[in-house]
């Protein structure tokens, strides 16, 4: 079976090697990288780069919800996205209701983007130019 902890550990080791970071450097960089990656996932509605896993009109994430965890807490973006999608499934939803949910979704996305940018800035302050370039190619930094 698939072990997410082992996969994450392999990915972290590979990233550490690509960055050329010593173990001591990695202890500092790793939490910052994780913070950026978490903020990025949440800015996409908490569903990561794979998008919605449920069927058309079905709940996001399918069985077990986003990320496959049965009782995982939704990010604010994911919750706003789910609220908007649920409202749109109601054929009699009014324009005002839709506008309100759409505004909430946009505001959650904007706040989430700001969190990504702040986390990226914090990480960027710690890395060398070479490490920054590697992280840009990996999609961690912009």
């Amino acid at each position: 079976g698939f072990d997410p902890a082992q996969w994450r550990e392999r990915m972290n080791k590979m990233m550490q090697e690509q960055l050329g970071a010593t173990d001591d450097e990695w202890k500092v960089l790793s939490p910052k990288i994780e913070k950026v990656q978490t903020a990025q996932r949440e800015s996409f509605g908490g569903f990561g780069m794979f998008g919605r896993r449920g069927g058309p009109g079905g709940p996001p994430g399918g069985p077990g919800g986003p990320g496959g965890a049965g009782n995982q807490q939704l990010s604010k973006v994911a919750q706003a996205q789910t609220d908007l999608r649920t409202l749109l499934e109601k054929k009699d939803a009014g324009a005002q209701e839709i506008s309100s949910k759409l505004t909430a979704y946009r505001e959650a996305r904007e706040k989430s983007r700001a969190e990504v940018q702040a986390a990226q800035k914090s990480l960027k302050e710690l890395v060398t130019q070479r490490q920054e370039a590697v992280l840009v190619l990996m999609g961690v930094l912009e």
Side-chain angles (χ1 to χ4, degrees):
F2 175 72
D3 183 351
Q6 283 182 344
W7 180 82
R8 198 173 309 113
E9 188 175 327
R10 281 195 309 269
M11 295 304 293
N12 283 338
K13 192 67 174 164
M14 181 183 73
M15 187 179 290
Q16 179 184 356
E17 289 172 7
Q18 288 183 353
L19 291 173
T22 66
D23 288 342
D24 288 339
E25 289 173 325
W26 186 246
K27 287 177 187 172
V28 174
L29 293 177
S30 179
K32 299 280 187 179
I33 291 169
E34 180 60 32
K35 186 172 184 174
V36 170
Q37 291 173 326
T38 298
Q40 287 173 328
R41 275 191 304 276
E42 290 178 358
S43 75
F44 285 103
F47 307 122
M49 299 302 290
F50 301 106
R52 205 172 131 227
R53 288 189 223 153
N71 57 2
Q72 179 182 7
Q73 181 71 25
L74 292 178
S75 71
K76 291 190 184 320
V77 174
Q79 187 60 59
Q81 186 179 53
T82 298
D83 292 348
L84 178 58
R85 185 176 291 115
T86 300
L87 180 63
L88 291 175
E89 289 173 1
K90 293 172 32 183
K91 299 298 179 197
D92 61 341
Q96 184 64 33
E97 274 184 295
I98 293 170
S99 178
S100 175
K101 294 292 184 189
L102 183 57
T103 296
Y105 175 62
R106 285 179 171 149
E107 288 173 355
R109 289 281 314 257
E110 190 57 38
K111 183 178 181 199
S112 185
R113 284 185 193 115
E115 290 170 2
V116 169
Q117 290 172 344
Q120 288 175 328
K121 182 177 187 270
S122 178
L123 173 59
K124 188 176 174 184
E125 293 171 353
L126 298 176
V127 298
T128 67
Q129 191 68 52
R130 177 177 294 279
Q131 290 170 332
E132 180 181 349
V134 170
L135 290 167
V136 168
L137 290 175
M138 291 179 169
V140 176
L141 293 177
E142 292 183 14

